[in-house]
Amino acid sequence: MSPLLIVVLRVLAAIGLMLANGVVLIYMLRKVLGHLHVRLGPMHMGPKGVLQTTMDVLKLLTKEDVTPTNVDKVLFFIAPALVFVPALMAYAAIPFSETWRITDLDTGLLYSFAALSVIPIGLLMAGWASANKWSLLGGMRAAGQQIAYEVPLLLSVLPVVMVVGSLNMSDIVAAQSGLWFVIPQLPAFVIFAIAGLVELNQTPFDMSEAESELVAGFASEYSAMKFGLLFLSEFSNSFIMSAIGVTVFFGGWMIPFVPAEVMQPVAPVIFMTKVYIGIFFMMWIRGTFPRVRIDQLMQLGWKWLIPASLAWIMITGLVIKVWQLGPGAS
Amino acid sequence: MSLDYLILGGFVVIGFVFYVATVTASNLLSPTAPSREKGVTYECGSRPIGPPWVQFRVGYYVYALLFVVFDIETVFLYPWAVTFNRFGLFILVEMVLFMAILVLGLLYAWKEGALTWR
């Protein structure tokens, strides 16, 4: 196959996966939240409402795309792309199995975080371009909270990188054939889980689009497919965050005590199952906790999570060095 | 390896093309009925008063500055973490010193009240 064809096919595969994830996740969210609220959720389109989100996508596709008269037209058009494209790019480094992955980057973990960190710029741009005070507030909040929690998020995976000595996602999975990192690195996982949830802008950390305060935040003025792609990116990001968490802390596509050769044929299925279990927990949290206040959120990030993650890096470093110079030295 | 980076470039280009194509398709499929009222930005039903691009509270800029400092630190920490196992104890001592300076900065910002959201 010519290289160009490989490139196009792999990107299209990522787009297909992203769209499928969006449709499945929105249906799943509405069903899970429905049952948490002791109601049924969507029931009418298809058996148990499974076609509901497909219909919603078709509806969004045929809705009028309204651009208000006083918005900044260029930025208003570019902003959803700046949210959508990085969310798509984050799929590039996820290892679904030993052979099923879009790229095998040596800097895969850093690359994934780098792709996700472009998104606040898109949100801020969407909020600013909309020429709407609610949108501007929502965009500023989104950017403020995402940059505050990006630092603990990036720091929380560093102890794992120190143990493995590589940023390659496949290497990180391979290093967990004996023991998942969630056990020795539990504090790192707790920091990762909190910071990851805040990065996703979901309830209980959804101050940027709090319906009762800011209409729909940065997305207030968007309609039709621009709105659709903004929200598709948001749902897809919860998949990406869960996938990074599964890769770094829960052994990726592996199960303990089962040899890798046996796992090989079903590895992508196991990986996807783990990712969806992670997403289910996010939805559970979303349906259970009330929204936190923005000042509490900022304090938690700067005063607790950043010092805690720095301290945990130092503790891990010390343990590794003591082990190398002591009993591990040979 | 170079093919991997070509794929990353493909992601940017095809991603943008996909975005433009979807929005165009939606515009072709959907009705267009512009009106003066529809063009007004939504502020709970009343007409917007004053310009939307207002001055913003300075608190955000303090956080942005702190963020830049710690993000740069993270950039230093990543290669440090990758090569951590290849060197002796001095690599740890080195980073403790570097981090101590930054933590002093964080403590100073804390004492000055920059971390409290008002």
Side-chain angles (χ1 to χ4, degrees):
Chain A
M1 268 201 295
S2 79
L4 200 65
L5 192 61
I6 296 176
V7 171
V8 172
L9 284 179
R10 293 203 175 186
V11 178
L12 288 182
I15 292 180
L17 182 61
M18 184 177 179
L19 294 177
N21 269 332
V23 170
V24 174
L25 282 178
I26 295 172
Y27 174 70
M28 182 177 158
L29 175 74
R30 293 170 72 175
K31 272 296 190 194
V32 170
L33 279 187
H35 285 278
L36 283 173
H37 296 164
V38 202
R39 55 187 174 82
L40 290 172
M43 285 299 279
H44 286 290
M45 289 297 168
K48 300 275 175 197
V50 284
L51 294 177
Q52 184 66 49
T53 26
T54 321
M55 296 297 169
D56 286 343
V57 173
L58 290 178
K59 188 201 77 174
L60 278 176
L61 202 59
T62 53
K63 281 283 176 189
E64 184 182 0
D65 187 0
V66 181
T67 304
T69 38
N70 55 345
V71 299
D72 188 326
K73 296 242 162 27
V74 179
L75 293 187
F76 191 77
F77 183 78
I78 296 174
L82 269 186
V83 179
F84 168 74
V85 174
L88 176 66
M89 290 179 78
Y91 280 84
I94 305 290
F96 294 92
S97 83
E98 212 166 354
T99 45
W100 282 46
R101 59 198 163 200
I102 291 163
T103 61
D104 187 24
L105 293 175
D106 281 336
T107 51
L109 189 59
L110 185 63
Y111 167 81
S112 299
F113 285 129
L116 289 180
S117 67
V118 179
I119 293 174
I121 300 172
L123 299 182
L124 192 56
M125 195 185 273
W128 179 262
S130 294
N132 182 326
K133 286 151 204 148
W134 301 127
S135 300
L136 181 59
L137 264 173
M140 288 301 263
R141 280 189 186 182
Q145 109 185 34
Q146 294 209 0
I147 64 173
Y149 279 78
E150 201 171 297
V151 178
L153 183 73
L154 290 167
L155 292 177
S156 66
V157 297
L158 267 179
V160 172
V161 176
M162 284 157 67
V163 175
V164 179
S166 168
L167 287 167
N168 189 317
M169 302 272 251
S170 306
D171 290 351
I172 294 174
V173 173
Q176 297 177 76
S177 53
L179 185 67
W180 290 356
F181 280 134
V182 68
I183 296 164
Q185 295 287 344
L186 189 64
F189 173 69
V190 171
I191 296 168
F192 174 85
I194 298 174
L197 271 179
V198 180
E199 283 287 290
L200 293 174
N201 281 344
Q202 285 188 354
T203 331
F205 306 112
D206 66 336
M207 275 74 72
S208 55
E209 49 196 81
E211 303 94 332
S212 51
E213 299 168 18
L214 294 178
V215 192
F218 51 83
S220 298
E221 293 301 335
Y222 282 95
S223 48
M225 257 347 246
K226 286 185 196 137
F227 176 84
L229 288 176
L230 273 177
F231 272 80
L232 171 68
S233 317
E234 200 137 288
F235 276 93
S236 156
N237 286 344
S238 57
F239 176 85
I240 294 294
M241 199 59 79
S242 183
I244 293 175
V246 165
T247 308
V248 175
F249 293 105
F250 289 93
W253 42 269
M254 287 196 291
I255 289 181
F257 312 118
V258 182
E261 307 84 64
V262 184
M263 298 296 308
Q264 207 49 55
V266 287
V269 179
I270 289 174
F271 183 81
M272 290 299 272
T273 313
K274 283 186 185 176
V275 172
Y276 269 82
I277 291 172
I279 294 171
F280 174 75
F281 275 96
M282 288 181 204
M283 289 175 178
W284 193 355
I285 290 169
R286 186 175 177 151
T288 311
F289 289 103
R291 188 178 292 142
V292 301
R293 243 170 38 212
I294 189 139
D295 61 323
Q296 295 168 332
L297 183 80
M298 291 308 218
Q299 291 210 0
L300 178 72
W302 289 104
K303 293 185 180 172
W304 292 100
L305 290 188
I306 290 179
S309 48
L310 288 176
W312 184 249
I313 288 172
M314 286 300 125
I315 292 169
T316 309
L318 201 64
V319 169
I320 293 174
K321 285 301 167 211
V322 166
W323 183 256
Q324 276 178 354
L325 302 174
S330 51
Chain B
M1 208 35 168
S2 61
L3 181 65
D4 281 348
Y5 289 102
L6 201 62
I7 293 173
L8 297 188
F11 264 92
V12 180
V13 175
I14 298 174
F16 269 102
V17 170
F18 180 82
Y19 169 71
V20 175
T22 332
V23 172
T24 314
S26 146
N27 280 340
L28 290 177
L29 284 171
S30 63
T32 319
S35 75
R36 212 167 61 84
E37 294 302 320
K38 243 187 236 173
V40 179
T41 50
Y42 178 75
E43 281 187 16
C44 309
S46 58
R47 288 200 169 272
I49 299 167
W53 290 304
V54 290
Q55 282 199 335
F56 231 81
R57 39 174 301 149
V58 74
Y60 284 100
Y61 298 100
V62 179
Y63 280 107
L65 270 177
L66 275 173
F67 164 71
V68 170
V69 171
F70 277 91
D71 222 29
I72 300 288
E73 187 203 353
T74 319
V75 171
F76 281 126
L77 275 170
Y78 265 80
W80 173 82
V82 172
T83 53
F84 188 74
N85 286 326
R86 287 178 219 162
F87 298 96
L89 192 62
F90 90 94
I91 192 169
L92 185 67
V93 177
E94 208 175 46
M95 195 44 81
V96 168
L97 288 177
F98 177 61
M99 236 181 236
I101 299 169
L102 278 161
V103 169
L104 274 179
L106 185 68
L107 287 177
Y108 178 69
W110 195 330
K111 186 183 138 258
E112 291 291 307
L115 301 184
T116 311
W117 188 267
R118 278 175 303 238

